[in-house]
Amino acid sequence: MPAVSKGDGMRGLAVFISDIRNCKSKEAEIKRINKELANIRSKFKGDKALDGYSKKKYVCKLLFIFLLGHDIDFGHMEAVNLLSSNKYTEKQIGYLFISVLVNSNSELIRLINNAIKNDLSSRNPTFMCLALHCIANVGSREMAEAFAGEIPRILVAGDTMDSVKQSAALCLLRLYKASPDLVLMGEWTSRVVHLLNDQHMGVVTAAISLITCLSSKNPDEFKTCVSLAVSRLSRIVSSASTDLQDYTYYFVPAPWLSCKLLRLLQCYPPPEDGAVKGRLVECLETILNKAQEPPKSKKVQHSNAKNAILFEAISLIIHYDSEPNLLVRACNQLGQFLQHRETNLRYLALESMCTLASSEFSHEAVKTHIETVINALKTERDVSVRQRAADLLYAMCDRSNAKQIVAEMLSYLETADYSIREEMVLKVAILAEKYAVDYSWYVDTILNLIRIAGDYVSEEVWYRVIQIVINRDDVQGYAAKTVFEALQAPACHENMVKVGGYILGEFGNLIAGDPRSSPLVQFNLLHSKFHLCSVPTRALLLSAYIKFINLFPETKATIQEVLRSDSQIRNSDVELQQRAVEYLKLSSIASTDVLATVLEEMPPFPERESSILAKLKKKKGPGAVSVELEDGKERGECVNFNPKPQRTSTPSPSADLLGLRSTAPASGATPSAGSLLVDVFSEAGPSATSAGVNDDGFLRFVCKNNGVLFENQLLQIGIKSEYRQNLGRMYLFYGNKTSVQFVSFNTTLNVQTKTVEPLVEGGAQVQQVINIECLTDFIDAPLLNIKFRYGGALQNISLKLPVTINKFFQPTEMAAADFFQRWKQLSQPQQEAQKIFKASHGMDTEVLKAKLLGLGTALLENVDPNPENYVCAGVIQTKAQQVGCLLRLEPNAQAQMYRLTLRSSKDTVSQRVCDLLAEQF
Amino acid sequence: MQFMLLFSRQGKLRLQKWYVPLSDKERKKISRDLVQTILARKPKMCSFLEWRDLKIVYKRYASLYFCCAVEDQDNELITLEIIHRYVELLDKYFGSVCELDIIFNFEKAYFILDEFLLGGEAQETSKKNVLKAIEQADLLQEVCGLCPR
């Protein structure tokens, strides 16, 4: 490239950049920048009108300063001025500034949109592209509102230049991703699909990204793209490496387009048309064949491009999951990559094989690579590759190889990186349970886990082993013996003490016959660990002791003495003290019979899906865990197994073996068990049906906008809602869960709505849209009445719509000084609302943050001097007025309490937000 | 693609392009975390890593790291070659590009990127076509002052 115009002569900019680079310290840099900012400010404010060149130069300097990481709060207007310059470079810099430093000032946006409009209608392709790039870079809703109608027209118009079409396609994609409701393809659909046939490869490459996104959202409307995509792919795959000229990349014809075509096909099931399908299978076979050919170049770019297509083809083969021959070939190809010298390929092969392992056609083929994968786990130098190997071992595990895989994972755990230990522990625990034929192996494995990686064994894991031991009497004696032996180690992990305490408390009698593990020996062993343990473990041990008194009357005197000692009965921890006092009293006044009844062996736990699996799913995100429990019980409903049912009713997090204070989990689990135990995993469990106005759904939506509002045996109501300033739009989805149609379906709201379809077919869903405008602040929510006939019977449901005042929050960012100043300004007593309340859920930081953000306020960091506290700020937008709101939440983890303080310029608002939010924690 | 970052071995950001709406604060945090993570990795390690719910694809060219964040279903290898193609474009335009070219002509680096990728997707993969577009724009600046619109 000739050195025509690099930097195009902005000498001032080059000098400034050099100055910054020459700064010896951060302070010097900041000083230089401040000097420059002052200079630019004075130029912009000066009386003399600046010429275009100077404006461009200063705007460019501001941009540079911003990209260095400094805040820029002026210059937007000058940049906007540049947009209407008739000099291309000035316009270009103006657009760049706008793209990087978007500003939500509405006056500016109007000016920007005007400039864009002019350029779009200029018929000058270079200007049109600039304008389209700007829209694509900003992608805001305002721009979508202004241009979503115009761009499809440009995209399909016959006289549009290719380069403009390319920009228009991707511009539209960005707008669609940001505001799908504003981009309506309708009449353009078929012409957009036909861009796949365009002569210009660049146009196809750009358009296919748009088509893929649209197809994944509306597969039916775009399904004609399948046959077009197949024929395009087939032409590329069969072309010689020179046919496509500059679209050939290191001897690979059109690799980007090929990958995108294969990706588009993954939005659809295998083609139904036999000819199309045949052609596609041929393409896939050709791609697999090419992988075996000698490379046309030694460059890594060549093999990367070629393999990118291969991996995408394998993804498609896995997606179809219907061609055993192709699946096995894919597996063999990946098997070769497992031993490749390129780390990248080994990584991808391990990753891709994970999905192959879950297909019934290729599961066995994947298993043949077990030794290579185990070797990878042991020898790979990069932890991310080892992680993939561990994932694959997990995915390929079945009854035939479980013992080998679990043993390898356990031995790997001893040296595993800290970052992946917790996940490994979960996986071992799951596999051990799932494939346990004899449960003594299971118990051994879990105790080994605790021994090797005790710190990473979460509650779910040790709860689960106890649950299983309680439920299977064939393993109880073995468990007691093994745990007793494990406790002999001078330093054993606290989790081991927990499991040991629980199991010996229940089943210590099964090994008491051996003098080496007589009751007193058992007790002394447990008690030797007592003082090293945390409060919850000590609480558990105290419960084990009282159980001992029942199991072994001969230990009663010793244990009573322990309970009576000052360190127990006067313990400063109220839970421990209470247990010591109660247990002591119980053991001295209750008759043997009463004692035996109260302290009876725990009844079996109801069968549930393992909560460990739920935890792993949560850790890895949805879809990452492809293996389900083999004897998978009810899916989706993962109730946290919880051996301490009183946890939700008392603030103490201590384990209790007795369940004296509330119903013990009985074998025939009462229906209330689900609501009693806090379900920490499922996001929004369907709430129980209730007569009258249904309230509990309402409260779940204070901090979120989408989800299931209501569900009973017949009907499910889902909600999607969005809010901007004082306006909102709510989509209600009424789903008929039965196979019979609902007639005279009718909903009334104590505000106006459009009516819904009076018929809801069985299994179908109808939608209703409600537009909401907030006129002034309010407390009562709109009431929704739903009436319909289901097989003759009239159904009547009343619901509070989850429209709450906080939905109209606009978050406000502010610095600490501003925050405290405003806080002080709102110091009149009626402006403040405060509540002190007990935590009814866990106090996890991330969850708290998510809820506060969901409330709609900005979460301000580094404002409150106490880092444990949270402060937020926002403005509630109503038509009548804006109400500024400040919030402070002070958690006290020890007491499991919160103090919530709201201050706003309007007393009713403070009170309402405070009331709503107090229910959320 | 969700974003692309270019940074030096010293951890200085040289170019950042965001294809998803994020606040300034979030962008800064993400860049900081990611730069740290990648600089801590050894040379022979794999070019891909899982990071939050994204896949990171990165490659080092001389003193500069090029790093892209793509979504779960995106293709890592083709992303790696996106990076390479961008490097080729810069190289061709500046004539064996170095870090200094990108520092002093950051605006050009952005313009070239916009011609190649738009909204996080490949717009034009032909090297010739991208460079032709940039060349035309460079020519326009010479003559445009003469031809009022």
Side-chain angles (χ1 to χ4, degrees):
Chain A
M1 174 83 31
V4 226
S5 49
K6 277 171 272 169
D8 48 82
M10 283 190 278
R11 265 203 56 220
L13 175 66
V15 169
F16 174 59
I17 296 177
S18 300
D19 280 3
I20 296 287
R21 286 180 52 74
N22 289 333
C23 286
K24 294 278 187 292
S25 66
K26 195 78 197 160
E27 290 72 35
E29 184 184 308
I30 290 173
K31 213 172 143 198
R32 179 70 185 86
I33 286 172
N34 285 337
K35 189 179 146 204
E36 194 61 39
L37 286 175
N39 172 39
I40 299 175
R41 231 188 225 112
S42 76
K43 294 282 188 209
F44 282 170
K45 278 201 186 134
D47 312 328
K48 222 171 62 190
L50 287 176
D51 60 16
Y53 169 80
S54 311
K55 248 187 234 165
K56 175 181 86 172
K57 183 179 71 186
Y58 293 131
V59 164
C60 221
K61 280 184 182 175
L62 286 180
L63 198 52
F64 182 78
I65 294 170
F66 176 77
L67 292 170
L68 282 179
H70 301 268
D71 292 334
I72 295 293
D73 53 6
F74 69 103
H76 297 82
M77 190 44 99
E78 284 72 15
V80 173
N81 285 340
L82 287 176
L83 296 185
S84 42
S85 163
N86 56 4
K87 288 214 174 84
Y88 179 73
T89 44
E90 289 169 16
K91 189 188 275 291
Q92 202 183 18
I93 294 290
Y95 272 126
L96 180 61
F97 186 93
I98 302 294
S99 305
V100 176
L101 274 134
V102 200
N103 190 293
S104 52
N105 178 325
S106 55
E107 178 59 15
L108 272 180
I109 286 177
R110 205 177 52 79
L111 291 172
I112 295 168
N113 281 356
N114 260 339
I116 292 178
K117 211 165 275 168
N118 285 335
D119 282 332
L120 282 184
S121 52
S122 71
R123 313 203 125 260
N124 174 334
T126 321
F127 287 178
M128 289 174 85
C129 281
L130 264 189
L132 289 168
H133 291 179
C134 180
I135 301 174
N137 281 326
V138 176
S140 67
R141 197 163 171 90
E142 288 86 356
M143 287 199 175
E145 277 161 2
F147 302 110
E150 175 67 15
I151 297 172
R153 221 183 311 265
I154 298 177
L155 175 61
V156 298
D159 58 347
T160 305
M161 298 270 293
D162 291 330
S163 60
V164 179
K165 272 190 197 168
Q166 289 167 278
S167 299
L170 293 175
C171 187
L172 201 56
L173 171 61
R174 174 74 196 262
L175 293 184
Y176 182 77
K177 280 184 184 165
S179 322
D181 53 319
L182 293 177
V183 178
L184 302 168
M185 295 313 291
E187 48 181 321
W188 312 114
T189 305
S190 114
R191 293 169 76 180
V192 170
V193 170
H194 274 87
L195 289 172
L196 287 176
N197 265 341
D198 202 283
Q199 289 193 326
H200 192 284
M201 294 281 276
V203 172
V204 190
T205 307
I208 194 171
S209 297
L210 173 68
I211 296 168
T212 305
C213 179
L214 291 168
S215 299
S216 64
K217 298 278 161 28
N218 330 280
D220 279 348
E221 287 167 45
F222 285 82
K223 61 173 180 258
T224 48
C225 70
V226 172
S227 63
L228 292 179
V230 170
S231 60
R232 190 94 213 192
L233 180 69
S234 153
R235 268 181 282 158
I236 297 173
V237 169
S238 57
S239 66
S241 56
T242 49
D243 287 358
L244 301 175
Q245 291 155 0
D246 209 35
Y247 290 91
T248 295
Y249 179 82
Y250 292 86
F251 304 102
V252 182
W256 285 281
L257 182 53
S258 307
C259 284
K260 287 184 176 196
L261 286 163
L262 289 161
R263 173 96 207 91
L264 170 60
L265 291 170
Q266 287 170 61
C267 300
Y268 290 92
E272 280 158 21
D273 182 331
V276 177
K277 182 159 186 205
R279 209 163 168 197
L280 178 56
V281 169
E282 221 168 85
C283 287
L284 295 171
E285 278 170 348
T286 313
I287 294 171
L288 285 167
N289 291 341
K290 279 191 180 172
Q292 298 299 326
E293 289 170 11
K296 294 197 174 72
S297 154
K298 285 210 172 87
K299 289 251 165 68
V300 67
Q301 283 77 26
H302 170 71
S303 70
N304 278 351
K306 193 166 127 182
N307 292 327
I309 299 172
L310 177 63
F311 275 106
E312 206 60 64
I314 292 177
S315 295
L316 182 63
I317 294 169
I318 296 172
H319 167 77
Y320 287 163
D321 197 15
S322 60
E323 299 282 329
N325 173 36
L326 289 176
L327 280 161
V328 171
R329 281 193 68 184
C331 185
N332 293 340
Q333 182 59 53
L334 293 176
Q336 287 182 18
F337 284 155
L338 286 182
Q339 318 231 29
H340 203 280
R341 60 187 171 79
E342 279 271 329
T343 315
N344 288 346
L345 284 180
R346 294 198 303 275
Y347 176 97
L348 293 175
L350 288 166
E351 183 181 66
S352 201
M353 249 193 195
C354 253
T355 36
L356 269 181
S358 55
S359 163
E360 54 170 321
F361 300 114
S362 47
H363 184 80
E364 287 304 317
V366 171
K367 273 169 62 185
T368 59
H369 299 286
I370 185 166
E371 296 302 333
T372 320
V373 182
I374 287 174
N375 197 38
L377 186 66
K378 286 178 175 162
T379 58
E380 283 288 352
R381 288 195 301 189
D382 184 346
V383 53
S384 43
V385 186
R386 289 198 297 273
Q387 168 103 53
R388 290 285 84 83
D391 286 349
L392 179 52
L393 282 180
Y394 178 77
M396 68 162 71
C397 192
D398 62 19
R399 223 169 270 289
S400 72
N401 56 19
K403 283 203 172 165
Q404 185 188 7
I405 286 180
V406 166
E408 291 294 348
M409 284 176 127
L410 269 178
S411 80
Y412 173 61
L413 248 182
E414 303 206 33
T415 53
D417 312 73
Y418 295 111
S419 56
I420 62 173
R421 279 196 188 181
E422 188 186 351
E423 198 184 313
M424 291 287 294
V425 167
L426 291 175
K427 286 184 165 161
V428 170
I430 290 167
L431 293 178
E433 177 184 341
K434 191 169 150 189
Y435 298 115
V437 183
D438 74 277
Y439 277 84
S440 53
W441 173 70
Y442 170 75
V443 170
D444 283 342
T445 305
I446 301 294
L447 294 186
N448 265 329
L449 262 188
I450 297 178
R451 199 168 14 229
I452 294 168
D455 281 344
Y456 299 89
V457 172
S458 56
E459 283 185 341
E460 287 82 2
V461 174
W462 74 262
Y463 286 179
R464 189 71 183 164
V465 68
I466 286 172
Q467 187 185 17
I468 285 174
V469 170
I470 300 262
N471 286 13
R472 312 201 129 256
D473 44 18
D474 52 335
V475 76
Q476 289 160 354
Y478 181 80
K481 179 170 159 289
T482 324
V483 84
F484 176 80
E485 280 161 12
L487 286 172
Q488 304 287 339
C492 61
H493 196 273
E494 189 163 335
N495 279 335
M496 190 70 89
V497 179
K498 288 179 184 162
V499 175
Y502 203 123
I503 290 185
L504 293 181
E506 295 293 320
F507 309 115
N509 55 327
L510 299 177
I511 55 168
D514 188 327
R516 285 168 299 177
S517 52
S518 71
L520 221 51
V521 174
Q522 287 184 40
F523 170 74
N524 286 332
L525 180 62
L526 281 180
H527 198 54
S528 69
K529 315 283 183 195
F530 186 90
H531 299 281
L532 302 170
C533 292
S534 63
V535 169
T537 309
R538 289 189 196 187
L540 184 149
L541 286 177
L542 287 179
S543 298
Y545 297 169
I546 186 78
K547 286 232 158 186
F548 267 40
I549 292 184
N550 177 46
L551 288 181
F552 317 116
E554 66 266 36
T555 59
K556 183 170 172 177
T558 318
I559 291 175
Q560 279 182 334
E561 199 176 321
V562 168
L563 293 176
R564 205 177 290 123
S565 73
D566 277 356
S567 63
Q568 307 296 357
I569 211 159
R570 297 196 177 169
N571 195 298
S572 60
D573 184 273
V574 69
E575 177 69 27
L576 292 182
Q577 190 189 96
Q578 188 175 357
R579 286 192 189 214
V581 171
E582 286 178 5
Y583 293 165
L584 184 60
K585 207 71 188 164
L586 182 68
S587 67
S588 32
I589 59 174
S591 70
T592 331
D593 284 353
V594 171
L595 214 54
T597 314
V598 173
L599 301 170
E600 201 184 354
E601 191 180 301
M602 289 294 278
F605 288 89
E607 287 290 328
R608 298 192 183 104
E609 188 191 345
S610 164
S611 53
I612 310 176
L613 199 61
K615 172 141 182 161
L616 184 67
K617 278 181 194 157
K618 193 179 164 199
K619 210 173 150 49
K620 296 283 280 180
V625 185
S626 48
V627 195
E628 296 305 329
L629 274 185
E630 219 170 43
D631 48 349
K633 303 268 166 2
E634 337 95 301
R635 282 211 37 207
E637 200 195 343
C638 343
V639 182
N640 181 15
F641 158 60
N642 190 338
K644 33 187 194 190
Q646 95 285 19
R647 173 155 96 172
T648 50
S649 51
T650 70
S652 156
S654 318
D656 190 348
L657 292 148
L658 300 170
L660 286 176
R661 294 195 198 87
S662 62
T663 33
S667 47
T670 55
S672 68
S675 54
L676 186 71
L677 302 176
V678 186
D679 186 348
V680 287
F681 297 114
S682 78
E683 293 284 292
S687 60
T689 329
S690 65
V693 176
N694 193 316
D695 237 343
D696 41 354
F698 172 79
L699 281 172
R700 281 190 288 110
F701 283 83
V702 170
C703 294
K704 63 175 189 177
N705 286 332
N706 305 326
V708 174
L709 175 66
F710 172 84
E711 181 159 26
N712 63 13
Q713 295 86 340
L714 308 177
L715 179 70
Q716 185 192 52
I717 304 178
I719 279 198
K720 269 175 88 170
S721 49
E722 43 187 6
Y723 293 89
R724 244 161 48 86
Q725 307 208 320
N726 70 325
L727 300 177
R729 183 175 294 162
M730 180 176 281
Y731 298 86
L732 288 163
F733 301 92
Y734 303 96
N736 182 343
K737 290 170 66 177
T738 69
S739 51
V740 184
Q741 76 182 187
F742 293 161
V743 287
S744 324
F745 192 87
N746 139 30
T747 67
T748 52
L749 196 56
N750 54 357
V751 290
Q752 267 186 331
T753 53
K754 285 185 200 145
T755 51
V756 285
E757 285 291 320
L759 275 186
V760 187
E761 290 297 340
Q765 195 180 56
V766 295
Q767 181 187 338
Q768 181 174 33
V769 188
I770 298 170
N771 287 313
I772 301 158
E773 180 176 15
C774 176
L775 301 173
T776 180
D777 68 299
F778 62 94
I779 290 175
D780 288 334
L783 271 185
L784 176 70
N785 266 304
I786 302 155
K787 285 188 185 150
F788 58 93
R789 281 186 183 279
Y790 166 71
L794 183 68
Q795 307 284 330
N796 194 344
I797 298 165
S798 250
L799 293 171
K800 268 194 197 175
L801 274 192
V803 182
T804 46
I805 184 70
N806 64 294
K807 300 293 179 194
F808 303 94
F809 258 130
Q810 290 275 106
T812 317
E813 291 286 350
M814 58 176 83
D818 289 343
F819 182 87
F820 286 114
Q821 195 193 349
R822 288 185 208 194
W823 184 263
K824 279 197 202 108
Q825 282 166 359
L826 297 169
S827 58
Q828 291 169 35
Q830 68 271 25
Q831 291 176 326
E832 183 182 277
Q834 190 171 72
K835 275 201 172 183
I836 297 172
F837 53 93
K838 277 203 171 125
S840 38
H841 304 286
M843 298 180 82
D844 175 29
T845 323
E846 290 310 310
V847 176
L848 288 183
K849 281 188 182 167
K851 283 188 176 164
L852 288 169
L853 286 174
L855 183 73
T857 49
L859 183 58
L860 307 176
E861 287 184 4
N862 306 325
V863 168
D864 200 296
N866 179 352
E868 304 294 322
N869 294 345
Y870 302 89
V871 295
C872 304
V875 177
I876 291 183
Q877 309 271 349
T878 76
K879 197 180 180 195
Q881 65 180 131
Q882 301 193 334
V883 185
C885 235
L886 302 176
L887 176 162
R888 186 179 200 198
L889 180 69
E890 300 159 86
N892 180 341
Q894 212 163 17
Q896 295 280 304
M897 302 279 284
Y898 292 99
R899 179 162 66 189
L900 173 66
T901 316
L902 255 298
R903 285 189 179 183
S904 82
S905 46
K906 200 160 179 198
D907 49 355
T908 46
V909 170
S910 303
Q911 196 55 50
R912 182 59 182 156
V913 176
C914 190
D915 290 346
L916 284 170
L917 196 58
E919 299 293 329
Q920 301 299 317
F921 301 100
Chain B
M1 186 182 297
Q2 300 226 335
F3 56 84
M4 183 191 248
L5 303 175
L6 264 66
F7 52 89
S8 69
R9 260 190 314 173
Q10 290 75 35
K12 285 223 158 112
L13 265 188
R14 295 303 181 203
L15 184 139
Q16 39 176 321
K17 188 82 192 178
W18 303 86
Y19 297 111
V20 283
L22 290 170
S23 72
D24 252 11
K25 211 163 137 192
E26 287 168 297
R27 290 179 181 185
K28 279 187 184 157
K29 181 165 174 12
I30 291 175
S31 328
R32 217 175 29 237
D33 287 3
L34 211 48
V35 167
Q36 238 173 26
T37 311
I38 292 177
L39 288 178
R41 289 174 63 85
K42 298 196 184 73
K44 284 279 170 189
M45 282 188 169
C46 161
S47 309
F48 319 125
L49 56 136
E50 279 185 346
W51 187 79
R52 302 194 186 168
D53 53 347
L54 296 173
K55 296 201 277 200
I56 303 296
V57 177
Y58 73 95
K59 188 162 180 176
R60 186 178 148 185
Y61 288 86
S63 60
L64 271 186
Y65 284 86
F66 290 69
C67 156
C68 296
V70 295
E71 277 136 83
D72 190 47
Q73 72 276 12
D74 287 329
N75 188 312
E76 290 98 336
L77 284 174
I78 209 72
T79 310
L80 206 51
E81 294 318 298
I82 290 239
I83 293 178
H84 187 75
R85 175 108 296 180
Y86 183 47
V87 173
E88 284 184 347
L89 287 166
L90 292 172
D91 199 61
K92 191 92 185 179
Y93 182 79
F94 288 109
S96 59
V97 66
C98 67
E99 195 183 337
L100 279 181
D101 290 319
I102 295 174
I103 296 173
F104 279 95
N105 304 288
F106 66 96
E107 78 284 8
K108 292 287 180 205
Y110 277 98
F111 297 147
I112 297 173
L113 188 57
D114 269 355
E115 289 295 335
F116 175 41
L117 297 179
L118 192 60
E121 300 282 342
Q123 172 175 221
E124 177 54 86
T125 58
S126 151
K127 195 153 63 172
K128 263 190 216 147
N129 289 353
V130 172
L131 290 170
K132 204 164 71 192
I134 296 284
E135 242 173 289
Q136 266 171 0
D138 280 344
L139 277 174
L140 260 182
Q141 80 187 39
E142 304 297 312
V143 292
C144 203
L146 306 173
C147 53
R149 282 169 50 211

